[in-house]
């Protein structure tokens, strides 16, 4: 944070942080030349307001909460994104030796903690929208989506092991296969993973330099057409992104930025509609699961390819 709009700090700027904080450790690790450490957030804010530092590196919510609690005026303070990273807890080897079951029990309860979510800012939405539109133009992707959507538009059933199964039945089987510790792949899942659209999406994910954690396409009925990784369910029609794109006709939909405990990273989903160029009809939508840290931090380096 600093006293200007959309700041761009460099190694020679005076940057402050709270002594012993994760942010302070990050500054030390990256060898910034001019750093100043305050004993607590209140002192840090005062140092910034008195212009003894050019910037402070701090958790945004904690910064504004401390300002409010201590009646410090920060209306003219601007903020700029640095990184989305999870905090880490460290335990000594001696402690773990004395408590051999502690670490597994601790990790098993992380998901019970309150979810850390936030809406992307206006600037972040613009950056994510630019990325999504650039990736949606990936070589030949839209032609494959249109072809796949047209082939499945009148398909209510699929043939698996000699039996005709409805798409709703496939969704039930899909969800059951993904529950529990021993997740399995049904023959139907394997067939979708093997189609040309899924192969193209996987190729795009691999070329994204870590920006894309997952990407999938669903049709105008909400059913998956292709994916880079298996999702938790086959039918997306009951989810907000589907309603926003197909029922509310939003041009683009953003999820909250939230921590994914299984991936151990902050993710944000961006969904954009796909139109048939010959009929101008909305026939599908593509959802990008972006790594918020990499996608927003590396945005200034250019477009994804």
């Amino acid at each position: 944070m600093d006293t200007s709009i959309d700041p761009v700090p460099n190694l020679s700027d005076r940057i402050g942080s709270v002594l012993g904080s994760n942010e302070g450790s990050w500054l030390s690790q990256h060898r910034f030349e001019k750093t100043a450490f305050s004993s607590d957030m209140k002192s840090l804010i005062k140092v910034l307001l008195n212009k003894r530092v050019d910037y402070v590196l701090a958790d945004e919510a904690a910064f504004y909460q401390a300002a409010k609690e201590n009646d410090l005026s920060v209306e003219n303070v601007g903020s700029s994104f640095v990184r989305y990273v999870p905090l880490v807890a460290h335990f000594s080897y001696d402690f773990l030796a004395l408590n051999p079951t502690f670490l597994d029990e601790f990790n098993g309860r992380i998901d019970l903690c309150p979810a850390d979510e936030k809406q992307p800012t206006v600037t972040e939405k613009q950056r994510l929208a630019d990325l999504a539109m650039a990736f949606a133009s990936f070589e030949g992707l839209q032609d494959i989506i249109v072809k796949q959507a047209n082939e499945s538009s009148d398909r209510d059933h699929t043939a698996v092991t000699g039996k005709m199964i409805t798409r709703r039945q496939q969704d039930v089987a899909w969800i059951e296969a993904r529950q529990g510790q021993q997740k399995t792949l049904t023959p139907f899942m394997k067939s979708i993973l093997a189609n040309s659209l899924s192969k193209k999406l996987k190729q795009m994910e691999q070329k994204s330099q870590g920006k894309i954690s997952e990407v999938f396409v669903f049709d105008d009925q909400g059913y998956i057409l292709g994916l880079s990784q298996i999702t938790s369910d086959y039918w997306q029609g009951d989810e907000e992104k589907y309603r926003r794109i197909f029922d509310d006709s939003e041009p683009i939909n953003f999820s909250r930025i939230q921590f994914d405990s299984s991936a151990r990273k902050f993710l944000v989903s961006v969904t954009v509609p796909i139109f048939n160029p010959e009929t101008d009809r909305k026939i599908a939508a593509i959802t990008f699961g972006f790594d918020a840290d990499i996608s927003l931090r590396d945005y200034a380096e250019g477009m994804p390819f």
Side-chain angles (χ1 to χ4, degrees):
M1 298 186 179
D2 83 328
T3 54
S4 66
I5 301 301
D6 212 11
V8 183
N10 57 61
L11 290 176
S12 63
D13 287 316
R14 298 171 301 167
I15 304 177
S17 191
V18 173
L19 183 66
S21 66
N22 290 288
E23 293 83 4
S25 298
W26 186 87
L27 286 175
S28 299
Q29 291 168 4
H30 288 76
R31 302 180 185 278
F32 280 81
E33 297 172 3
K34 299 178 181 179
T35 55
F37 297 100
S38 299
S39 59
D40 53 39
M41 190 68 74
K42 175 184 176 181
S43 301
L44 183 66
I45 297 172
K46 287 184 174 180
V47 167
L48 176 65
L49 295 177
N50 291 330
K51 299 187 183 298
R52 291 166 57 192
V53 294
D54 302 301
Y55 304 86
V56 299
L57 185 64
D59 177 82
E60 186 175 35
F63 179 92
Y64 285 112
Q65 182 64 31
K68 180 180 179 181
E69 291 176 352
N70 294 282
D71 295 322
L72 298 172
S73 176
V74 292
E75 287 85 356
N76 295 322
V77 174
S79 64
S80 178
F81 168 82
V82 178
R83 293 197 67 182
Y84 280 106
V85 292
L87 299 179
V88 177
H90 298 276
F91 305 101
S92 71
Y93 288 115
D94 290 341
F95 174 81
L96 294 178
L98 292 172
N99 303 273
T101 64
F102 172 80
L103 195 57
D104 287 339
E105 292 173 355
F106 179 87
N107 289 332
R109 286 172 170 76
I110 289 178
D111 288 346
L112 301 178
C113 298
D116 188 3
E117 309 181 344
K118 69 180 287 289
Q119 289 284 1
T121 65
V122 172
T123 300
E124 289 171 339
K125 283 185 176 180
Q126 185 59 59
R127 294 176 175 181
L128 292 167
D130 289 344
L131 277 177
M133 298 310 294
F135 279 117
S137 301
F138 187 69
E139 50 196 47
L141 175 62
Q142 296 219 10
D143 290 340
I144 298 176
I145 292 175
V146 171
K147 181 176 183 294
Q148 198 77 29
N150 287 336
E151 289 178 353
S152 66
S153 60
D154 297 322
R155 186 186 305 163
D156 255 348
H157 298 73
T158 53
V160 178
T161 61
K163 297 180 180 180
M164 296 302 292
I165 302 176
T166 67
R167 298 212 284 185
R168 283 302 180 95
Q169 289 173 323
Q170 290 288 14
D171 183 52
V172 172
W174 188 300
I175 293 171
E176 289 178 350
R178 304 311 292 169
Q179 290 177 340
Q181 295 294 323
Q182 300 298 322
K183 294 178 173 60
T184 59
L185 289 178
T186 67
F188 181 62
M189 291 178 183
K190 293 178 181 178
S191 70
I192 291 184
L193 279 171
N195 71 30
S196 58
L197 175 55
S198 293
K199 290 178 180 178
K200 178 62 73 173
L201 295 175
K202 190 65 177 180
Q203 180 187 12
M204 180 172 62
E205 179 187 301
Q206 292 170 344
K207 287 188 174 183
S208 73
Q209 299 176 342
K211 293 179 176 67
I212 297 177
S213 290
E214 68 168 347
V215 55
F216 55 89
V217 176
F218 53 90
D219 65 16
D220 57 1
Q221 300 301 308
Y223 292 101
I224 294 287
L225 295 175
L227 34 68
S228 65
Q229 300 177 37
I230 291 296
T231 54
S232 59
D233 50 9
Y234 172 47
W235 187 56
Q236 308 293 308
D238 58 345
E239 298 192 13
E240 183 177 4
K241 60 179 176 289
Y242 175 87
R243 295 194 297 270
R244 295 294 188 184
I245 294 297
F246 286 100
D247 296 339
D248 300 339
S249 296
E250 277 190 354
I252 188 166
N253 177 255
F254 303 90
S255 74
R256 289 176 175 269
I257 298 173
Q258 53 192 332
F259 183 67
D260 185 296
S261 59
S262 59
R264 301 294 182 214
K265 59 182 67 173
F266 284 92
L267 303 179
V268 56
S269 293
V270 181
T271 303
V272 297
I274 301 296
F275 294 85
N276 186 328
E278 296 182 357
T279 63
D280 202 32
R281 186 174 70 87
K282 193 184 304 179
I283 59 170
I286 183 168
T287 294
F288 298 95
F290 286 124
D291 181 314
D293 179 37
I294 295 175
S295 297
L296 294 172
R297 173 164 47 95
D298 293 347
Y299 178 82
E301 299 178 5
M303 281 291 98
F305 310 121

